Amino acid sequence: TSTDFLYLRFHGMGRRLYDYRYSRNELAAWVAKIRPHLRGHELYAFFNNDVGAQAPANAAQFRALLRQRPRSGAHRSPHDP
């Protein structure tokens, strides 16, 4: 990356853009994708799936997943201790 931050936008998927509730597995997949890139970067994740007020719950769930230690066997950055 060329900046000191990462920026993600979550709008929903398929035909239900903005009216979509991400599953735990969908959010966990994103965590696994970005975790190797977090060291030395600030993460900004914007949830715009707000038609049914799903954004706050999904944002809280995403944050909780980020705070969990990676499971053994999960992809880890070579920079992780």
Side-chain angles (χ1 to χ4, degrees), residues 10 18 20-22 27 45-64:
F10 293 88
Y18 308 106
Y20 186 84
R21 184 175 188 100
Y22 288 91
L27 294 174
F46 180 75
F47 284 82
N48 194 25
N49 54 328
D50 56 352
V51 169
Q54 297 98 322
N58 274 160
Q61 188 174 33
F62 187 68
R63 178 184 287 195

Side-chain angles (χ1 to χ4, degrees), residues 32 69-77:
R69 289 189 61 83
R71 293 182 190 161
S72 61
H75 177 74
R76 297 188 68 188
S77 168

Side-chain angles (χ1 to χ4, degrees), residues 6-14 16-35 38 43-63 65-66:
L6 303 171
Y7 181 73
L8 299 174
R9 292 178 68 98
F10 293 88
H11 297 290
M13 296 176 21
R16 296 181 56 207
L17 288 177
Y18 308 106
D19 186 16
Y20 186 84
R21 184 175 188 100
Y22 288 91
S23 72
R24 183 184 189 289
N25 287 341
E26 288 170 324
L27 294 174
W30 273 102
V31 168
K33 286 179 192 178
I34 64 167
R35 184 165 295 199
L38 288 177
L43 173 63
Y44 298 95
F46 180 75
F47 284 82
N48 194 25
N49 54 328
D50 56 352
V51 169
Q54 297 98 322
N58 274 160
Q61 188 174 33
F62 187 68
R63 178 184 287 195
L65 289 166
L66 281 167

